[in-house]
Amino acid sequence: MKVGFISLGCAKNQVNCEQMIWQTYQAGHEVALGADGCDVAVVNTCGFLQEAREEALGEIAALVQEKQAGRLQKIIVTGCMAQWWKDQIAQRCPDVDGFVGVSGYEDIAQVIDQAMAGERPALFGDIDAPVPETDRVVCTSDYWAWLRIAEGCDNRCAYCVIPYIRGKFRSRPEQAILAEAEELAQAGMKELIVVAQDITRYGLDLYGRRTLAELLPKLCAIEGIQWVRLHYLYPDEITDELIDVIAREPKIVKYLDIPIQHISDRMLRAMHRRGTGQEIRALFRKLREKIPGLVLRTSLIAGFPGETEEDFEQLCEFLLEYRIERAGVFAYSPEPGSPAADFPDQVDEDVKRRRVELITDLQLRIVDDYCAGMVGQVVPVLCEGYDEETELFYGRSPADSPGIDGLVHFEGEEGGVAPGNFYAVKITNTYDGELVGVLYEEEETP
């Protein structure tokens, strides 16, 4: 039997999907990415935003058509949307044959067998249970992989339902993380992207204290790993000890993803975020001072209930002053079950769209300025492939996280450059927010 997997949403979802692929393979089934030519399709869904849910429903609807045409036998829906919106999926897509929530991934093979036997399994375990330690098949790349160090979240921001879907914050034991990192290095991974909903809280539940600053040097000591990238650090949990570790460890790329959502004190309080705008500003100044060449990424919400033009103007001024190199900008979405969905003073949709457009345009100008400032510099690049159309190799610099940031395009001799290797690239130009360069020759004077 051939089982195809479709993974939607965040990095944590991708890890869960990779675990399910391993379990399915171990059960003796053939596995594939995508549903073409498969007997069973497993859709691992995201339920964080309405847009993500609509994407998942679209994928499921397309699979239903394949099933009705006789090209697919069974459809299994897993992940956040299955956990939180199972009844809605069952109502809109009655041809779905089984469900697995955010717990129980290790039993996916059993669920597939039950569905093939004509049952309609629905497996929903304890969302607060310890994170199961299972193997996985990395599907992102031959050169980099996500390294999930925790599950769930305790922050309970007003706009977010993740704690209700994925449970309380649970750290993985350090020895399990390090063992997995060793295996990934032996498999040829050059970059590990440390991920959790809030990596700065790591260890608090297991060891009674935050231990990310202790974990990172041990990850950096693993032979074969050359880059360690950090997603996501909450601003109020970043200690001087952690900053010092990031600054002194050469393998930790000087790129930090710190979601702040807003800078107005009014909005931060309304969002149930800890800390103030002044504290965020002070933190960013300290990070710039302590970590030369730092690239900052953040996420911002425009149009949160009660946001005034003055609040929005503060956010724009903050971006202009602090020159955040990477920012994801989102219009507030009232998620069912979140406290903010019932807040008064909901912002008009047209106003939200206008604010997103304004701040996005502002951010694009900042990115253009950043790219212009990179011309003439030499940067390390992890090569990821060759583009036949442009006749250029491409890859990522330390300033680029996969899938969300830009690429570096560079000239190189065919046969002399190979994906998965690092190269020094001298930046000669920019194009549409990305960098263009040539291989740097050691004898050149930079």
Side-chain angles (χ1 to χ4, degrees), residues 3-6 20 39-45 60 63 67 72-79 82 89 95-101 108 110-116 119-123:
V3 182
F5 288 86
I6 299 169
M20 288 191 289
D39 304 293
V40 179
V42 179
V43 187
N44 196 33
T45 61
I60 295 167
L63 293 173
K67 181 181 176 183
L72 184 66
Q73 295 184 49
K74 301 293 180 180
I75 302 169
I76 310 294
V77 177
T78 66
I89 297 174
D95 283 311
V96 170
D97 300 285
F99 295 90
V100 179
I108 184 64
Q110 173 187 333
V111 170
I112 291 170
D113 291 342
Q114 290 173 340
M116 291 297 291
E119 302 176 36
R120 293 182 64 85
L123 179 61

Side-chain angles (χ1 to χ4, degrees), residues 385-429:
Y386 179 78
D387 188 327
E388 296 285 351
E389 184 174 338
T390 63
E391 298 183 337
L392 294 173
F393 290 93
Y394 61 87
R396 293 181 294 107
S397 76
D400 305 305
S401 197
I404 55 175
D405 297 319
L407 294 170
V408 179
H409 308 265
F410 61 98
E411 297 177 6
E413 292 292 331
E414 188 174 352
V417 176
N421 291 333
F422 287 87
Y423 298 94
V425 175
K426 185 173 184 178
I427 305 305
T428 58
N429 206 343

Side-chain angles (χ1 to χ4, degrees), residues 324-349:
I324 307 301
E325 292 89 351
R326 308 280 191 248
V329 185
F330 305 92
Y332 167 71
S333 173
E335 296 305 302
S338 67
D342 297 322
F343 282 5
D345 301 323
Q346 297 284 329
V347 176
D348 181 80
E349 291 297 325

Side-chain angles (χ1 to χ4, degrees), residues 236-307:
D236 58 297
E237 304 284 355
I238 298 176
T239 63
D240 288 343
E241 179 189 15
L242 180 58
I243 294 172
D244 290 341
V245 168
I246 294 169
R248 73 169 179 259
E249 287 289 348
K251 288 186 179 180
I252 299 179
V253 296
K254 305 318 182 231
Y255 168 111
L256 300 179
D257 193 324
I258 306 173
I260 63 169
Q261 313 305 351
H262 218 286
I263 200 65
S264 158
D265 287 344
R266 286 185 64 256
M267 290 296 94
L268 292 170
R269 286 194 299 270
M271 291 176 175
H272 300 172
R273 302 282 293 184
R274 298 186 298 273
T276 66
Q278 181 177 353
E279 289 168 341
I280 292 172
R281 291 182 178 91
L283 171 65
F284 281 16
R285 287 195 299 269
K286 180 187 290 187
L287 290 170
R288 297 281 198 201
E289 175 187 344
K290 298 274 189 175
I291 309 173
L294 176 67
V295 168
L296 287 170
R297 166 166 278 281
T298 195
S299 54
L300 306 171
I301 296 175
F304 189 79
E307 184 187 55

Side-chain angles (χ1 to χ4, degrees), residues 7-163:
S7 188
L8 307 173
C10 70
K12 298 176 290 298
N13 245 27
Q14 177 67 36
V15 171
N16 291 146
C17 191
E18 292 172 351
Q19 292 172 322
M20 288 191 289
I21 290 173
W22 171 263
Q23 296 294 335
T24 304
Y25 176 76
Q26 287 295 103
H29 302 305
E30 184 181 357
V31 297
L33 298 180
D36 289 347
C38 293
D39 304 293
V40 179
V42 179
V43 187
N44 196 33
T45 61
C46 173
F48 183 47
L49 297 172
Q50 179 64 31
E51 182 179 351
R53 295 194 293 275
E54 291 299 330
E55 179 188 14
L57 288 170
E59 291 281 356
I60 295 167
L63 293 173
V64 167
Q65 289 183 341
E66 292 295 297
K67 181 181 176 183
Q68 292 173 345
R71 293 187 289 269
L72 184 66
Q73 295 184 49
K74 301 293 180 180
I75 302 169
I76 310 294
V77 177
T78 66
C80 291
M81 195 171 175
Q83 180 76 36
W84 196 243
W85 282 276
K86 171 186 174 294
D87 293 340
Q88 291 92 324
I89 297 174
Q91 182 178 3
R92 289 182 59 171
C93 306
D95 283 311
V96 170
D97 300 285
F99 295 90
V100 179
V102 298
S103 296
Y105 286 113
E106 63 272 25
D107 296 319
I108 184 64
Q110 173 187 333
V111 170
I112 291 170
D113 291 342
Q114 290 173 340
M116 291 297 291
E119 302 176 36
R120 293 182 64 85
L123 179 61
F124 297 92
D126 180 4
I127 63 172
D128 293 325
V131 182
E133 296 297 337
T134 68
D135 287 325
R136 53 193 273 223
V137 176
V138 176
C139 302
T140 49
S141 166
D142 293 332
Y143 326 120
W144 67 268
W146 303 108
L147 182 65
R148 182 183 56 162
I149 65 171
E151 182 56 273
C153 185
D154 288 343
N155 290 312
R156 298 191 179 274
C157 302
Y159 49 81
C160 183
V161 293
I162 286 176

